[in-house]
Amino acid sequence: MKRSLITLCLLLGSSLPAWAEADLPKADANRLQAHLQFLSHDLLEGRDTGSRGHDIAAQYMLSQFAQLGLKPAGDNGSYLQAIPFRQAYLVQDSAKLVLKGTGGETSLEYPRQYLTSASLISEVSQLQGKLVFAGYGIVAPELQHDDYAKLDVKGKVVVVLSGKPKSFPSEEGAHFGSGSEKSRHAAEHGAIGMLTISTPLAEKVRPYQNLLNYLHMPSVSWLKADGEPANQQPQLKNSAYFSQDAAALLFAGAPRSLEEIYADLEQDKSPAGFALPTEIEFSKRSEHKTISSPNVAAILPGSDAKLKDEYVVYTAHLDHIGFAKTVKQDKINNGAMDNASGSSVLLETARLLSGLPQAPKRSILFLSVTGEEKGLLGADYFANHPTVPLKSMVANVNLDMPILTYEAADVIAFGANHSSLQATVADAVAKLGMSLSPDPWPEQALFTRSDHYMFVKKGVPAVFLVPGLTSMDPNVDGAKKFGEFLHTDYHKPSDELNDNFNWRAAQRFTEANLQIGLTIANDPVRPSWNEGDFFGNTFGQ
């Protein structure tokens, strides 16, 4: 009788009565566990981008979408969107860097004093030029900030501070202070190279010594139609990151010392740029390789004659980081929580939505992306090569590393405060007796750090959804559980399927994800950016 009433309400296009919301299908813990067990198995070898293990995982996602009868949304009528990538490895003993200043020549030692990554542009990188200090290297007219004002850097190498001014809003600052934005502005102002220097704050957040763990990581970029890597600045011939001790050498004999620059930062002053009495000679070699790795995309067509041409986009990254380089025993980074958990929730959400008596009014696009760990590359490729019209995407709900070790009473939706999605998500999870909690770590700017941000940059309102920190069990500290995972297992072989997983937590989070997508899909009004919001003004369609 209840099913008949639900069917009738859907057929008539009316909203479900409040009591009937509880009769929506429930997530299946066994299915969630089975998906996660397969996707995090040793046989997939950590699902690194371009690896055989990732290809197997992609075929698994494809087969699940096909079983549900979802419409292929990849290339040429398939579920797969094949992406060509360039993978570049630095020849470790090839990096040579010499500073020529008032005190003579100084050869710097790699990697003790500076770090550099493989070049995606050229296999042989050579840089020679005069140095110019350019503050943070940020141009942000919205925040009345321009480090290049009255500064001539044409044909020179810019030296920039890592990070951003303390006074910058966290999320907006993360955008302006990103490496991609700094490189773009350096190139646009005529620079031929860029050196980034560590700061006291950077050392607290991410010590230079910790960066040595990434020495052997390749640089990766998707390739454009002309075979060139995307999002690169060919004019910048070389780049490096200097430790604090090495950075002081750049300012020897300069109008101001590095200590004075650091003193400005303590007072949240943005030091003005000036020419440095130093030149650089810097060379290295890189080895290039072309690889391919797919996104997997499927569509549940909408049921409304008009709204079916609009899409709610669910994303979850399928890739992880493959083999550990410095571990002697278990070397496989299985990525159970990051992000086999999100991929499993994506699949179970797709099953629940496809099993409704009538499909949601808007269409649902399920997108399993590759290359997240390499810089959100699969999502960026899809956003630039969408298989449905970009303007038809009304919202993105992103699932990345939901911590499923405790049953949460709330959810966190990073970025919800920028658009009407905040009210939508709050209303949706309230149907499950859950609440929407504010971002507990605004200083980390997580809104800019996962796949959804590639959609934001195309003007699509988005949320990055994770379980909240309030546990249903008053004896369980959700924040502590979250922190334990980050400290002990994040990006380590210990992130594997074990008894810490709470399958009721997985069910509850999946049902919240279902309610959110269903609410967006059935709302007669598409989501919108808040009036005056920075991201809406900057990227809005």
Side-chain angles (χ1 to χ4, degrees):
M1 180 63 182
K2 291 180 181 179
R3 172 58 65 90
S4 298
L5 179 55
I6 294 172
T7 304
L8 179 61
C9 289
L10 288 169
L11 288 171
L12 294 175
S14 60
S15 300
L16 290 172
W19 63 265
E21 291 286 355
D23 294 323
L24 288 172
K26 303 298 183 184
D28 186 332
N30 291 327
R31 292 174 186 270
L32 286 160
Q33 184 172 1
H35 292 319
L36 204 149
Q37 184 173 18
F38 181 87
L39 293 172
S40 63
H41 197 279
D42 280 357
L43 289 174
L44 273 61
E45 299 178 337
R47 308 187 308 278
D48 199 6
T49 301
S51 70
R52 181 173 179 270
H54 183 274
D55 286 346
I56 293 171
Q59 286 295 323
Y60 182 81
M61 300 296 289
L62 178 161
S63 71
Q64 296 298 313
F65 288 151
Q67 287 180 52
L68 296 174
L70 300 179
K71 179 182 174 183
D75 296 328
N76 304 316
S78 75
Y79 290 96
L80 300 180
Q81 182 183 46
I83 307 174
F85 292 98
R86 177 172 294 170
Q87 195 176 60
Y89 287 90
L90 177 68
V91 178
Q92 292 291 315
D93 61 358
S94 71
K96 309 294 181 186
L97 194 155
V98 178
L99 297 178
K100 299 179 180 181
T102 55
E105 294 189 5
T106 304
S107 295
L108 270 61
E109 182 182 344
Y110 169 86
R112 187 179 66 83
Q113 293 178 293
Y114 72 96
L115 297 170
T116 188
S117 56
S119 170
L120 286 158
I121 299 296
S122 176
E123 291 187 295
V124 177
S125 306
Q126 294 181 321
L127 176 66
Q128 183 175 357
K130 296 181 179 180
L131 303 183
V132 177
F133 175 61
Y136 284 102
I138 290 175
V139 178
E142 295 88 344
L143 301 175
Q144 293 77 51
H145 187 105
D146 184 356
D147 283 318
Y148 287 95
K150 301 179 181 180
L151 202 62
D152 179 16
V153 303
K154 190 172 183 179
K156 300 172 185 178
V157 180
V158 294
V159 176
V160 302
L161 297 161
S162 64
K164 60 179 179 62
K166 292 179 183 177
S167 58
F168 274 26
S170 177
E171 292 172 343
E172 291 88 334
H175 169 76
F176 288 119
S178 65
S180 59
E181 282 294 291
K182 290 186 179 186
S183 296
R184 181 172 69 85
H185 289 301
E188 287 177 351
H189 284 82
I192 59 172
M194 187 170 78
L195 307 178
T196 304
I197 59 178
S198 184
T199 66
L201 178 60
E203 282 301 303
K204 291 179 181 178
V205 175
R206 201 178 190 192
Y208 182 87
Q209 189 66 27
N210 290 2
L211 300 178
L212 299 179
N213 295 328
Y214 302 94
L215 283 183
H216 301 283
M217 292 286 288
S219 301
V220 185
S221 174
W222 57 267
L223 297 176
K224 298 181 291 185
D226 61 4
E228 292 300 313
N231 305 316
Q232 303 300 305
Q233 304 295 338
Q235 185 174 318
L236 301 181
K237 304 302 181 184
N238 222 332
S239 62
Y241 184 88
F242 277 43
S243 68
Q244 286 183 279
D245 291 342
L249 301 174
L250 300 172
F251 291 81
R256 301 189 71 200
S257 69
L258 183 60
E259 288 75 15
E260 291 175 304
I261 299 296
Y262 284 165
D264 283 352
L265 305 188
E266 286 299 313
Q267 300 177 50
D268 198 26
K269 295 180 180 178
S270 294
F274 51 86
L276 296 168
T278 309
E279 295 186 18
I280 187 174
E281 289 186 1
F282 181 19
S283 63
K284 66 187 178 189
R285 289 187 293 112
S286 305
E287 295 178 345
H288 290 176
K289 180 182 179 182
T290 300
I291 62 173
S292 179
S293 190
N295 290 331
V296 189
I299 292 172
L300 174 64
S303 59
D304 185 86
K306 294 182 179 179
L307 296 182
K308 68 179 181 181
D309 293 327
E310 297 182 349
Y311 296 85
V312 177
V313 184
Y314 277 113
T315 50
H317 76 87
L318 187 59
D319 65 302
H320 195 52
I321 60 174
F323 291 103
K325 300 289 192 274
T326 57
V327 179
K328 293 182 179 179
Q329 295 180 351
D330 181 3
K331 294 187 176 183
I332 300 175
N333 291 294
N334 300 91
M337 209 75 77
D338 183 18
N339 185 37
S341 63
S343 298
S344 300
V345 171
L346 180 76
L347 288 175
E348 181 64 354
T349 303
R351 185 185 73 85
L352 296 176
L353 284 168
S354 63
L356 291 174
Q358 184 171 338
K361 294 180 180 180
R362 287 187 176 88
S363 296
I364 311 290
L365 172 62
F366 301 96
L367 182 62
S368 175
V369 295
T370 186
E372 188 272 348
E373 301 288 1
K374 301 297 186 288
L376 318 181
L377 298 183
D380 185 45
Y381 185 88
F382 188 88
N384 282 278
H385 301 83
T387 58
V388 300
L390 190 63
K391 290 186 177 181
S392 69
M393 301 180 199
V394 304
N396 172 223
V397 179
N398 184 46
L399 307 166
D400 187 359
M401 204 174 75
I403 305 301
L404 303 177
T405 56
Y406 60 95
E407 189 177 347
D410 60 334
V411 298
I412 298 166
F414 300 108
N417 57 303
H418 294 287
S419 71
S420 61
L421 289 176
Q422 183 165 30
T424 302
V425 172
D427 289 346
V429 299
K431 297 169 185 175
L432 297 173
M434 302 176 76
S435 60
L436 173 63
S437 294
D439 181 354
W441 309 291
E443 72 285 354
Q444 295 190 29
L446 292 175
F447 180 54
T448 67
R449 291 170 53 185
S450 191
D451 292 307
H452 62 283
Y453 194 57
M454 297 299 100
F455 292 88
V456 169
K457 291 172 73 172
K458 296 297 183 181
V460 180
V463 291
F464 169 13
L465 191 69
V466 297
L469 304 182
T470 303
S471 173
M472 293 288 288
D473 185 343
N475 296 316
V476 174
D477 185 338
K480 183 178 179 181
K481 288 279 191 179
F482 203 106
E484 285 173 351
F485 172 81
L486 293 178
H487 178 74
T488 306
D489 303 316
Y490 176 66
H491 278 198
K492 295 177 182 177
S494 56
D495 179 13
E496 58 188 355
L497 185 62
N498 54 42
D499 292 339
N500 291 330
F501 277 85
N502 182 318
W503 300 110
R504 175 56 194 145
Q507 285 179 287
R508 188 172 177 81
F509 181 67
T510 302
E511 288 162 8
N513 190 54
L514 166 69
Q515 289 281 9
I516 291 168
L518 196 57
T519 302
I520 299 170
N522 286 334
D523 193 329
V525 180
R526 67 185 288 165
S528 59
W529 294 100
N530 294 339
E531 185 175 355
D533 182 79
F534 166 77
F535 295 98
N537 288 345
T538 304
F539 304 119
Q541 299 176 12

